Structures are given as structure tokens and as C-alpha cells.
Amino acid sequence: MAAEPKKRPEKLLHVDGQGLKRLVEASLLWLRYHQPNINALNVFPVPDGDTGTNMLLTMQGAWHEIEHSTEENVGKVAQQVAHGALMGARGNSGVILSQLWRGFARSLDSKPNFGAIDLAHAMREASETAYKGVLKPVEGTILTVSRAVAEASETARHEDDDLLFILERIVSAAKETVAETPNLLPVLKQAGVVDSGGQGLTVILEGMLRHLHGESLDASHDRVSEAPIALQEKVPADAALDAGDVAQGYSYDVQCLIKGHGMNVEEARTRISELGLSTLVVGDAETIKVHVHVPRPSAVLAYAETIGRLYDVVVEDMAAQYQQYLLGRSTPTVPTPAYHLKPGNIATLAVAPGEGLTRVFQSLGTTAIVPGGQTMNPSTQDFVKLLETIPVDQAILLPNNGNVVMAARQAAEVSRKQVIVVPSKTIPQGIAAMLAFNDQRDLEANARAMEDATFHVLTGEITTATRAIEYNGVKVAEGHIIGLLNDELTAANETIEETLFTLLEQMKAENLEIVTLYYGNGILLAEAEVIGVAINTKYANLEIEIVEGGQPHYYYIISAE
Amino acid sequence: MISIVTDSTSDIPPDIARDLQITVIPAHVIFGEESFDDGVTLTREEFYRRLKTSKSLPTTSTPSAGEFAELYRRIGGEIVSIHVAARWSSLLSVAQLGASLVPEARVTFFDSGKLAMGLGWQVILAARAAQQGKSVADLLQVLKDAKRRTRLFAALDTLEYLRRSGRVNALVARFGRLLSIKPLIEVGDGEVTLIDRVRTRRAALDRLKATTYALGPLQSLAVLHTANLETALALADEFAMSIPNLREPIIVCEATTAVGTHVGPNGLGIAAVVADAVVAE
């Protein structure tokens, strides 16, 4: 985004609707740039629960709401932002972000513009609203950062009514608080990370500040090595983001590194920008990183070859991905005519990653499946839309992932239907809850019985560590096979089998009756059966069930009772 | 005194039947080419042993109309004949056909709407009233009341037998074949409803107990099982200590072969008669 350089020293005393729009856009771009870094701040080294992606998609929802708005009234624009963020909210951090916007907008009410006092008040209301939106607020998170931001706004406005000055104070307070989060929240310290949600909020505010400073938002001044735009796995999240570019015919996603000597980054950026959209060209005279959406990949690669050698070239057809994404998102896995519901029945909606797990939920009578969970946290809107298609007035939502619970709760509030969220945090918990569903009972009684059922099942999950960590005495090297017991990192070994047996020991499998192995995408039935036989050899009394899960990233999800 | 007749699907223990002068007509159990009289030429133990090992599922068939006719002729006098739910079995209509072959027979029929001890309790209560010299009209009143107060629950160890038998398709359809599930069902008047679905025997037992306690004060209780005697005895012991004011000892019995065929081994259930005051409407 081209920011108009501001000639200081005249003060910025007011921001109107269009001004806020530009700030939101700036924060979105800056967040997009920092997305991979924020994603990397997972407490556990597991390949999911991506805070950066979730917050970005939430801001994307906010941006779409005002993208074409010419509204001058800042209160109205803030309302639109808040609504967009609410519906786009994904993951717990996204939901809290949407609550911040909600409070911010409510405070601005219908003011034509905001000044220093309004900003301080809005920041306070934002923080307070976010705190109220969380059942058990935890310090050392985005909440703490939001409160520091509110306090900094209040202090700063007494010193100067210049909004740029106040925002500078806000951003430094946010950064300091983020740095403090490991001291406030022990799990962060153990994991050696700062809080990802707090970091995301800081990036959003920093993006706004950079805009006011007239600084670039595509990070061209950062060295590639310091701020890696990882050639990250293409998740549907990106496909959604890129929908606009695809629609315009810029359907190839091209990424590459150019290595050379004395390259001119500015010139490369100009040339490549002419060829495509969503251009990101960053680096220095020796290394340039390119990420661009183009109608034909050949032109950009041909140009790149003229200035240096090409490395790590990735070309992806976003149109195909987008189509797949649309199919996956917009058609519920259970088509509408198959809803076996009569008026007065209670619908059940479950989040499930993978075809196998989808079938399991369907076989238990789940009304509709929301795809996603581990790679992709569904948004509030995903739930709301699906709820609208269901021909009954009462529903129960099973998020089946700790990071989806808040978006589901938000959807329950937004929906006009009577909806209860049973806070299942894992797939086995969700399946246990679904088993306890009984269409003869009323909504509340079902929700109680289902939640109770989630406490009677043990969950094991096995995946590859995305980085090294030492947590609760478990030493993990990058690439290790790690095991999570009830969502806590408890095991790390060289092989899947070793990790699985460690988990079974921790579960005290000798006292259990039944273990179900849901094998993931990439695991063959035969491999799972070999492990099943090994388990049976060690635990002769255990009933072993092997079921296709088809989930990404996790070799096995284990349910034990 | 009015004579009481029932069929072997009632599960009434032989000594109780003898004491109360209840005549039990055996259903037929057929394993392949062999036909047995339920409880007479084939004990329940032997039945479950064969059920586990036999390649083909046993079938059960009702006594013939001729057998009923012969029985009614032999007993003579005023008879009240109480049987398995007409919705599940043609037994009642075969019995009626049998009675029509005996011009002098004075048989009044009653559809229990249940099976196993759900039927058994109704028969026992009617037999006691008969021993007190009650009239047919009185007995029918006792039966109607008992039918209303009798509840029957079962925890199935597996759905395999229910699937193989092709019965209760609508119920089974709700499970698919993906997971091993133990359903808790209520056998209502000619209907089976799903109460709960669990995955372990321990949980199934817990739910069966909770369901029993939730019935409120009970007058009579039977623990039913399919080749699962030890668990059934332990459960009966626990009930005996925790359920006050039962009017008679808890009966433990192996469930009827017709049930066993569909339920398979290791099933557990209860048949209870809820105390009068509770159901006063």
C-alpha cells in the first residue's frame, strides 16, 4: 500500500472514517507480512493452531466489510470493522481480536472522527470488552497487551494530543508487554516463546503506526534472513485470501529466491509489480525474495533470471486450489436434503478434519460437519452460515479443538437459533459427546450429558515437532515424533510407535477397555494394523479399533476409555 | 381358580412358575437342522454356548397352533393367556388360532407389549391375583396396571447380532459400522428406543444402574443377562443393598433365547415394576 508521507511537525489531531479505513488496511498488510512469524509462536511445536493465520483472516473479514466504503463517519466505519471481524473471527485469538474491535466501535458510537481522548476511551472499552468475552481471562496474553495499550493511550493523551505520538506510545507499550508475557504465563516461558496473540495485536498497531510514519508495509527494509517469508505450506486460508486475485485472472502463485550480486531491490519490485498482484519483493543486493500472483508464471521467472540465479521456485495454481476451497467450504459434507431432522429436533454440528473423521461423525448421526479444525480453524461466520441452513431452531456445536471453542461460542451468540456449544477440545472428546447425544432429551439436558461425556475419554495425538523445545521435562528436537495427552505435550521419541507406547503408558492402558486409533492422511491401514497388533501383544485385554481418520499432520489420534 | 398361561420368552424361573402354577409353553429354537423346545430340551446355558460357536444364527419359532390347542384343551376351565408383544411376534395370534380350535376353551388373551421379564413380571402379578381368586375382569385390570408400570432396559455388548438378525433396522442404522458401540436401549410397548451409546462395558454398566435408580421407588426388579451371570449377580447384589422396599427378592435370569439371538452374549438388562404411588396419574 502506498502511504502518503506525512510532513511533520504538524500534529494529527483527528482520524475520520476513511482515515480508519487506511489504518485497518495498513494493519492487515503488516499482519500479512508477519503471519509466518506469529504462526511460529506456538506453545507446543505442533503444526496447527496458527494464531497468525487466524488473526489475519479475522482482519481480512474486517477489511472486506469496509474495502469499498466511502463512509466518512469513523464510528460507522468502526462498526463495520467490528462486524466484519466478528463474522471472520477464527481461533481464540481471532475471537478476542474481534471483541477488541467491538469495544472500540461501541466507544466511538457514531462520532464523525476520533481524537486523543476518544482514542484513549475506545482503547479502554476495547480491552474491557475483550476481558469480558473470555470465560477465564488469563494474563500474559493478548488481553494483557490490550490493557497495556489502553493504559498507554490514557497516559500519552495527557502529554500530547497528537495521535501519532499516542500511537507511538501505544506500540512501544505493546512491545514491552509482549516481551513480558513469558514472565506472566509460565507455559510461554517453558516453551521459550512470547504470546502469539499479543504479538499479533502489536503487529496490527505497528502497521497503523508505520502507515502514519509513511513507512513501507511490505517490509522491504527488513532483511530476508531476519524475517523469513517461509515457503509455507499452502493452506486453504491462503486460498481464501487470494480469492480476489484469482477472480481477476491472476491465478498463479509464484514464489522464488533470486541470488545475485549488486541487485537493485527497488527496480525488481517495480518490474515484478507490473507483472502481477499481491506483490512481495524483499531483500538486499545479494538475495531477493519474490512472492507474486500472476496470470502467467513464465514472465516473472524470465525476468528474475535476468538479474540472478533462481532458487526454491514454487508455482501454484490458485484457481484450482480456490475451486477446491470453495467446494470444501461452501458445501456442507452432509448435503441439505440428507438432514434427517423434523421440526423440534436438535441439530448437531461437529468440526472435523479429514474424510474418515467426517464419516465417523456422520455415522453417529451428526447433522452437519464443518470441515477443518486442525489446519484450518472455522470462523464464526462458517458456523453461523451452516446454522442458517439447518431446518430446525435448536443446535449443539462441537468444536473438537480448543482453538475453535471461542469462535463457536461467538457463533452461538450471533445466531438467531438456540445454540449451545459443548466445549470439546479434541476429536475423541467430540465423538464421546456425539455418542451421548439423545434426540429424546431436550437441548440443555443433551448439552450437559455431552459435556460430561467429554471428561470420560482420554485423547492422544501424535505428530512431528515443528521445532525444538523442552517442556515439562519433555525434551523435543525438531523432527521428533511428539505425543500429546489430552492436549498437553507429554512424549517425544524417535518413532511413531515409541511415542504411541509412551502415551499408552501415560494413559495407564492396562486399566482401559478400548483404544481407537484414527490413522491420519499419509498412514496406510496396513501400518496402523501393525501398530494395532503390537498394542494387543502388550495389552492383551485391550480392545483395539483401527479407523481411518484422514486428518492432516497427525499420524494418529487416539481415543481411549 | 383361573389358570395362567404364558410362553417361554417370559423368562420366568421354573421354580417361580411352579409355585404360582403358571403354565409356560416353550417356543422352538432351531439351530440349523435341529429344533429344540426352549428351556425344556435346550437349556439357556447350552443355547448361549451354541450361539457363540454356531456358524448360522439360530432362529426361534412360535409353538404351533396345534400345540396351543392341545395345551388349552388339557388345562381346561377359565384361562388367561399372556404373551410376548404382538408387534414383534406372531405368537399371540397363533395362540388365538389354537384356542379357536378348542370350542370348549374359555381363553382370554393379553398382549404384554414386552418380552423377557418385562412380560414375566406381568404374568407373575396376574398369577398372584389368580391365586387370590380374582375374576377375569380383575386380572385384566391387574395386567393393564402392571403393563403400565413395567420397564425394561438392556445394555448390549455388541450390535453384531442385532445387525445379523436384521431386526430393529432403524435403530442399528444410527450406528454405522465404524465404531464399536454398546447401546443402552429401552424396550417399550412394541418399540425399542435408544437411551444411550457408550464404548465400554464399565460405562454400559454405570448407565444401566443410573437408569434403574432414576426410575424411582420400585416394587419388583429382575436382572437379566445373556451368558453374563457373574456380572448379573454382582449387579443384583448391589441393587439389593441400594434399593429399599422391594416387595420380593430380585430375580436373576438368563434372557430368553429369542432375545439372546438378537442381543448376543454378554448383554445385561433390568426389568422393573415401578411402585404404584409413582405412577398414580
Side-chain angles (χ1 to χ4, degrees):
Chain A
M1 190 194 94
E4 311 101 67
K6 296 248 178 267
K7 288 222 174 68
R8 305 300 291 175
E10 80 245 32
K11 289 182 175 182
L12 176 64
L13 296 176
H14 297 287
V15 168
D16 65 5
Q18 290 302 299
L20 177 60
K21 176 178 163 180
R22 284 192 295 274
L23 290 175
V24 168
E25 185 182 19
S27 64
L28 174 66
L29 291 173
W30 195 237
L31 189 58
R32 187 170 193 184
Y33 173 67
H34 282 282
Q35 173 197 0
N37 304 354
I38 299 170
N39 284 347
L41 295 173
N42 255 349
V43 170
F44 296 139
V46 293
D48 62 5
D50 289 342
T51 304
T53 304
N54 283 332
M55 292 182 85
L56 181 62
L57 288 169
T58 306
M59 284 305 291
Q60 185 85 21
W63 171 245
H64 282 325
E65 208 62 27
I66 56 167
E67 198 175 355
H68 304 294
S69 167
T70 52
E71 178 62 55
E72 297 284 332
N73 182 296
V74 78
K76 287 188 183 155
V77 172
Q79 297 291 348
Q80 291 169 328
V81 170
H83 178 72
L86 171 78
M87 297 309 279
R90 286 170 204 266
N92 295 342
S93 48
V95 171
I96 296 175
L97 178 60
S98 74
Q99 295 287 337
L100 287 169
W101 277 114
R102 195 170 129 194
F104 188 84
R106 192 165 48 209
S107 174
L108 291 184
D109 194 14
S110 54
K111 290 193 170 77
N113 55 47
F114 69 76
I117 298 178
D118 307 318
L119 177 62
H121 287 174
M123 285 301 195
R124 191 181 62 211
E125 178 122 14
S127 179
E128 284 172 3
T129 305
Y131 267 92
K132 278 182 209 145
V134 179
L135 294 179
K136 288 179 215 152
V138 175
E139 295 301 337
T141 64
I142 183 172
L143 291 174
T144 315
V145 177
S146 77
R147 191 173 52 209
V149 161
E151 284 163 3
S153 333
E154 181 61 22
T155 317
R157 79 164 177 93
H158 287 290
E159 289 176 40
D160 199 326
D161 56 1
D162 180 10
L163 291 171
L164 178 61
F165 168 78
I166 297 173
L167 196 55
E168 279 170 351
R169 289 295 197 82
I170 283 176
V171 171
S172 31
K175 284 184 172 172
E176 282 165 27
T177 311
V178 167
E180 270 299 296
T181 54
N183 296 327
L184 296 168
L185 194 56
V187 290
L188 297 175
K189 190 157 216 166
Q190 279 209 45
V193 292
V194 295
D195 178 66
S196 55
Q199 178 65 20
L201 177 58
T202 305
V203 166
I204 287 168
L205 295 164
E206 195 181 35
M208 295 178 175
L209 180 64
R210 283 182 80 94
H211 168 69
L212 293 182
H213 276 153
E215 287 168 341
S216 162
L217 289 160
D218 61 8
S220 57
H221 306 295
D222 297 23
R223 289 177 57 89
V224 172
S225 54
E226 286 166 9
I229 302 282
L231 293 173
Q232 49 179 326
E233 178 199 8
K234 204 74 186 151
V235 295
D238 293 329
L241 286 176
D242 299 335
D245 293 354
V246 173
Q248 294 175 56
Y250 291 77
S251 67
Y252 283 94
D253 179 294
V254 178
Q255 303 178 47
C256 64
L257 280 178
I258 312 168
K259 293 196 176 176
H261 297 286
M263 293 187 295
N264 184 333
V265 181
E266 287 299 322
E267 194 191 316
R269 181 177 306 124
T270 311
R271 291 290 303 275
I272 293 171
S273 300
E274 286 164 5
L275 298 170
L277 294 176
S278 303
T279 314
L280 181 72
V281 178
V282 297
D284 53 29
E286 274 75 47
T287 310
I288 295 178
K289 164 92 185 104
V290 177
H291 187 164
V292 63
H293 297 165
V294 290
R296 285 171 300 113
S298 54
V300 67
L301 295 175
Y303 166 74
E305 275 190 311
T306 64
I307 60 169
R309 296 190 69 83
L310 293 183
Y311 293 90
D312 297 344
V313 177
V314 177
V315 177
E316 286 177 324
D317 182 356
M318 295 190 296
Q321 284 182 4
Y322 185 58
Q323 279 311 313
Q324 220 168 11
Y325 168 80
L326 284 181
L327 284 174
R329 303 301 303 169
S330 62
T331 6
T333 317
V334 181
T336 307
Y339 290 154
H340 297 294
L341 293 172
K342 288 183 271 229
N345 280 172
I346 301 166
T348 48
L349 274 61
V351 179
E355 280 180 31
L357 292 170
T358 296
R359 277 195 298 272
V360 170
F361 275 103
Q362 286 172 335
S363 80
L364 299 176
T366 311
T367 311
I369 308 297
V370 183
Q374 283 174 320
T375 34
M376 176 68 167
N377 295 150
S379 69
T380 300
Q381 182 148 31
D382 291 338
F383 287 113
V384 172
K385 276 191 173 166
L386 195 52
L387 282 166
E388 277 167 18
T389 70
I390 304 242
V392 291
D393 295 327
Q394 295 187 320
I396 287 175
L397 299 188
L398 292 169
N400 300 337
N401 181 310
N403 205 30
V404 179
V405 173
M406 286 184 75
R409 286 212 167 108
Q410 195 151 274
E413 269 175 46
V414 171
S415 172
R416 274 166 302 209
K417 297 188 174 178
Q418 205 185 343
V419 182
I420 299 186
V421 176
V422 172
S424 54
K425 291 184 175 159
T426 65
I427 290 290
Q429 287 184 1
I431 289 169
M434 200 53 229
L435 281 165
F437 177 74
N438 181 340
D439 57 12
Q440 305 294 309
R441 278 194 294 248
D442 68 23
L443 185 67
E444 283 82 11
N446 262 307
R448 270 195 305 275
M450 291 168 82
E451 184 165 354
D452 186 57
T454 65
F455 300 123
H456 294 106
V457 62
L458 298 171
T459 300
E461 289 157 309
I462 296 178
T463 186
T464 302
T466 51
R467 62 183 160 83
I469 181 184
E470 181 165 357
Y471 183 86
N472 272 350
V474 183
K475 270 192 193 166
V476 182
E478 189 175 338
H480 256 171
I481 307 296
I482 52 171
L484 289 89
L485 176 59
N486 298 327
D487 256 0
E488 281 280 325
L489 175 64
T490 56
N493 297 87
E494 299 284 332
T495 69
I496 293 175
E497 196 164 326
E498 284 173 300
T499 301
L500 192 139
F501 274 99
T502 308
L503 284 177
L504 288 175
E505 270 167 41
Q506 290 165 345
M507 288 172 168
K508 298 191 167 54
E510 64 276 14
N511 300 330
L512 299 174
E513 278 189 43
I514 182 165
V515 162
T516 308
L517 297 182
Y518 298 99
Y519 59 95
N521 189 9
I523 297 278
L524 300 172
L525 173 61
E527 293 176 79
E529 282 173 344
V530 167
I531 287 198
V533 169
I535 298 172
N536 234 332
T537 309
K538 182 161 181 193
Y539 301 101
N541 292 328
L542 213 49
E543 183 184 342
I544 313 288
E545 248 183 340
I546 293 170
V547 180
E548 185 190 348
Q551 69 277 3
H553 298 317
Y554 286 79
Y555 304 115
Y556 292 99
I557 295 175
I558 304 152
S559 157
E561 287 183 59
Chain B
M1 190 183 97
I2 297 165
S3 301
I4 302 293
V5 170
T6 188
D7 56 81
S8 63
T9 71
S10 66
D11 290 344
I12 296 172
D15 54 331
I16 294 180
R18 201 165 43 240
D19 290 352
L20 293 175
Q21 292 170 282
I22 299 165
T23 306
V24 181
I25 185 166
H28 300 300
V29 185
I30 299 138
F31 276 99
E33 308 275 291
E34 294 176 277
S35 176
F36 302 92
D37 282 354
D38 181 19
V40 182
T41 57
L42 181 72
T43 62
R44 294 283 159 93
E45 291 81 14
E46 176 65 9
F47 168 77
Y48 286 106
R49 198 188 58 73
R50 281 174 171 263
L51 182 63
K52 279 186 203 169
T53 53
S54 170
K55 282 202 181 71
S56 57
L57 272 186
T59 55
T60 51
S61 72
T62 67
S64 66
E67 285 169 309
F68 273 110
E70 197 188 306
L71 179 73
Y72 294 140
R73 189 177 291 120
R74 178 162 58 78
I75 295 171
E78 198 84 58
I79 296 171
V80 172
S81 204
I82 309 157
H83 297 286
V84 58
R87 226 170 127 182
W88 290 322
S89 168
S90 59
L91 191 142
L92 188 62
S93 53
V94 174
Q96 283 166 332
L97 182 64
S100 72
L101 303 175
V102 188
E104 72 276 20
R106 284 174 295 153
V107 188
T108 307
F109 290 95
F110 187 76
D111 181 352
S112 74
K114 293 211 165 47
L115 45 67
M117 273 301 290
L119 159 61
W121 280 126
Q122 298 179 41
V123 174
I124 288 171
L125 295 181
R128 290 208 184 110
Q131 286 195 326
Q132 290 162 12
K134 296 277 173 64
S135 68
V136 169
D138 288 342
L139 287 192
L140 285 178
Q141 198 51 50
V142 166
L143 280 166
K144 267 188 205 161
D145 177 56
K147 181 178 178 177
R148 194 164 53 92
R149 291 192 283 128
T150 306
R151 305 285 296 269
L152 179 59
F153 297 92
L156 276 55
D157 194 54
T158 168
L159 280 165
E160 190 51 36
Y161 293 86
L162 209 52
R163 273 196 191 108
R164 282 207 266 164
S165 74
R167 293 284 178 110
V168 211
N169 275 327
L171 188 75
V172 176
R174 293 188 46 192
F175 298 101
R177 286 166 176 270
L178 291 170
L179 297 181
S180 136
I181 287 164
K182 303 184 192 306
L184 178 64
I185 58 175
E186 172 160 19
V187 182
D189 289 335
E191 277 181 354
V192 176
T193 47
L194 182 67
I195 304 291
D196 216 335
R197 308 180 277 190
V198 297
R199 309 211 52 207
T200 63
R201 287 181 185 168
R202 203 164 15 208
L205 186 60
D206 285 348
R207 301 300 154 83
L208 185 63
K209 283 183 206 169
T211 305
T212 307
Y213 294 134
L215 290 173
L218 302 180
Q219 168 184 324
S220 310
L221 181 63
V223 174
L224 325 174
H225 69 99
T226 54
N228 199 8
L229 179 64
E230 234 172 90
T231 317
L233 287 174
L235 181 61
D237 276 350
E238 185 177 328
F239 281 146
M241 304 221 269
S242 52
I243 301 179
N245 304 325
L246 286 174
R247 291 194 199 159
E248 58 207 298
I250 295 174
I251 293 175
V252 176
C253 62
E254 195 139 32
T256 176
T257 48
V259 170
T261 304
H262 304 307
V263 167
N266 293 318
L268 206 58
I270 67 110
V273 183
V274 177
D276 319 32
V278 179
V279 221
E281 285 158 41

